[in-house]
Amino acid sequence: MSDVHVNEAIKYFLIPGELKAIHPFKVGHINETYISVWGQGAHEKRYLHQMVNKSVFKDVPAVMENIEKVIAHIKRKRGIDTRETMTIIPSTDGRSYIQDQHGEYWRTYEFIEDTINYEVCTEPRQAYEAAKVMGRFLTYLSDCPASAYHETIPLFQNVPNRFVQLDEAMSKDSQGRCKQARKETQFATARREHAALVENLHTQGKVPRRVTHSDPKFNNVLFKTVPSNGNGVNYGEGLVVVDLDTVMPGTMLYDFGDLARSVVVATAEDEVDLAKVTVNEELFGELVRGYLEATCGVLTADEIAQMHLAPRLIALSLGVRFLTDFLNGDVYFKIHRLTHNLDRARTQFRIVSEMEKAEARMQAVVARYSKAG
Ligand code: GN1
Ligand code: MG
């Protein structure tokens, strides 16, 4: 249905030229995305259009206000034409989004050309570059007061809250799926005591609230494309982190943890062959090195001291979210097969158990690079 609506919606954005084509772009678990191509004189230019999921983002104007602010801040620091952030195409009435006659919210960005993203990190160099991008993002925003940003999904980063949501789903068992997921619910609830790690450190004044991305998984980082070296290996520099929907007050541990849980096992987020899900310490090392370089002078010692635990915590939290959605009947994350959310939960929980085994080694990696800095 939104395929029809997109043709209508794009008329309300200030795009010069003549529309040549428009097609769906499969990305993410939440929004509907399209790409359009416009003839502009002798050139063609692409744009990205998104219908924002308003059952996930209940206050889209607040989401867009956060995004506008973060983009403006980075452009102030890096120049108006910087490729280190996204560029919003305004609507004909000068706003960053429109609401169509069906009540749906749409926005348009310039398509960032000559870039590529990856689902799986395979090269240490990619891990280093992705960490540089994410570290720079945190650093650029380190002088913004977190309180100036809306928390657009309440308690989004709060891991104990994810356990409360799991409890609710288990006690309702609306789809009768609890039986099928017994091992997974046991795995999660056995680790509940670790859930409050970050909240406790924040309460103790050790981990500050910052403006964070909150969805910095590896495939949200775009790399510059470079000509292939013949081996199919692409060593382009990391350029920009996209998908700014969840920019909000949070902790650096969430961002680093989410990036790391998506990088260091070098498998897809829904990998069903769990034997493949192992911690690659070299990738973790390059991630830590890149992140610490890019955040030099910004992070506190208490934040650095938790960098080996954050990836495990965020994997646990995301696994709990997938599991909860499975129990609730797949109402939040898009799925492509019946047990998709259960499979995703299993992968995240395997990451947790692999990281439990690797804890001392991961801690040693952080110690090595934080001393080196
Ligand atoms: C969702 O749709 P996408 O892929 O940008 C989710 C993130 C999860 C991620 C897991 C608003 O992001 O929190 O970490 O899936 N976004 C929201 O792939 O819940
Ligand atoms: Mg997202």
Side-chain angles (χ1 to χ4, degrees):
M1 192 170 67
S2 43
D3 283 15
V4 180
H5 296 165
V6 65
N7 292 299
E8 192 55 35
I10 58 172
K11 293 182 188 152
Y12 294 94
F13 291 95
L14 285 171
I15 306 176
E18 182 199 342
L19 179 63
K20 298 259 173 153
I22 185 153
H23 55 86
F25 189 54
K26 296 276 166 237
V27 57
H29 301 325
I30 306 285
N31 298 321
E32 298 296 330
T33 306
Y34 298 83
I35 288 187
S36 66
V37 186
W38 296 68
Q40 296 176 350
H43 304 281
E44 284 194 341
K45 199 164 159 146
R46 291 195 285 176
Y47 296 86
L48 190 111
H49 311 279
Q50 284 184 311
M51 189 179 89
V52 184
N53 183 327
K54 61 182 184 310
S55 66
V56 168
F57 297 105
K58 307 254 190 281
D59 185 353
V60 179
V63 169
M64 293 311 297
E65 200 183 310
N66 281 355
I67 294 177
E68 282 174 42
K69 237 186 233 173
V70 90
I71 290 178
H73 191 83
I74 295 176
K75 285 186 185 279
R76 255 194 313 276
K77 290 214 156 141
R78 306 298 297 165
I80 191 83
D81 291 327
T82 182
R83 276 165 52 82
E84 288 185 50
T85 190
M86 306 181 78
T87 299
I88 296 173
I89 303 299
S91 65
T92 45
D93 59 356
R95 288 181 302 146
S96 60
Y97 62 93
I98 63 137
Q99 190 173 24
D100 69 14
Q101 70 263 43
H102 312 282
E104 301 295 348
Y105 290 96
W106 292 86
R107 61 178 174 217
T108 298
Y109 294 112
E110 275 184 13
F111 189 85
I112 305 176
E113 298 289 352
D114 305 317
T115 58
I116 183 168
N117 72 334
Y118 305 91
E119 286 305 314
V120 177
C121 179
T122 50
E123 302 288 331
R125 181 85 199 163
Q126 293 174 326
Y128 173 79
E129 290 292 334
K132 290 283 263 196
V133 168
M134 279 319 307
R136 281 200 297 261
F137 183 85
L138 192 94
T139 299
Y140 294 152
L141 296 167
S142 60
D143 55 350
C144 294
S147 58
Y149 282 73
H150 303 283
E151 187 169 347
T152 46
I153 302 180
L155 300 178
F156 185 72
Q157 294 191 4
N158 185 300
V159 186
N161 174 53
R162 299 302 184 181
F163 275 87
V164 171
Q165 292 169 336
L166 175 62
D167 289 341
E168 282 166 10
M170 282 166 69
S171 66
K172 274 199 201 123
D173 196 15
S174 63
Q175 312 296 309
R177 290 178 170 182
C178 253
K179 225 167 84 193
Q180 200 182 342
R182 188 134 300 147
K183 253 174 68 186
E184 289 70 27
T185 52
Q186 277 168 1
F187 181 94
T189 47
R191 285 156 180 81
R192 181 190 291 270
E193 64 187 278
H194 303 300
L197 176 85
V198 174
E199 277 64 39
N200 290 344
L201 289 166
H202 175 64
T203 313
Q204 292 160 22
K206 290 184 173 166
V207 167
R209 296 278 268 178
R210 299 177 180 278
V211 181
T212 56
H213 184 282
S214 320
D215 187 12
K217 59 182 174 182
F218 184 61
N219 67 4
N220 275 337
V221 176
L222 305 188
F223 293 75
K224 291 182 192 169
T225 46
V226 291
S228 168
N229 65 4
N231 299 324
V233 178
N234 183 320
Y235 290 107
E237 273 170 55
L239 177 65
V240 54
V241 57
V242 293
D243 187 4
L244 303 174
D245 283 336
T246 47
V247 165
M248 63 174 99
T251 67
M252 138 297 152
L253 292 170
Y254 189 96
D255 274 7
F256 177 76
D258 194 49
L259 178 65
R261 68 95 200 152
S262 67
V263 163
V264 306
V265 290
T267 53
E269 197 173 77
D270 55 0
E271 176 59 63
V272 285
D273 182 355
L274 297 181
K276 288 191 185 152
V277 182
T278 56
V279 174
N280 181 322
E281 280 163 38
E282 193 184 1
L283 294 181
F284 185 64
E286 286 305 278
L287 204 67
V288 171
R289 188 167 75 86
Y291 201 82
L292 289 176
E293 275 179 23
T295 53
C296 186
V298 171
L299 299 186
T300 67
D302 285 315
E303 288 175 312
I304 296 171
Q306 304 300 326
M307 282 173 70
H308 65 296
L309 291 178
R312 188 166 115 198
L313 181 70
I314 304 311
L316 177 64
S317 175
L318 184 58
V320 166
R321 293 173 63 196
F322 286 142
L323 181 58
T324 303
D325 200 33
F326 174 72
L327 298 180
N328 286 340
D330 311 306
V331 291
Y332 189 96
F333 297 104
K334 285 182 205 157
I335 54 162
H336 306 293
R337 54 177 185 267
L338 205 59
T339 57
H340 209 164
N341 274 317
L342 183 60
D343 293 342
R344 289 170 176 151
R346 286 181 176 145
T347 311
Q348 293 307 309
F349 291 159
R350 175 56 70 110
I351 295 175
V352 173
S353 44
E354 289 300 301
M355 287 187 175
E356 283 170 355
K357 290 188 239 160
E359 178 175 337
R361 296 192 300 277
M362 289 172 74
Q363 187 167 21
V365 166
V366 176
R368 179 159 80 241
Y369 290 115
S370 54
K371 276 188 205 112

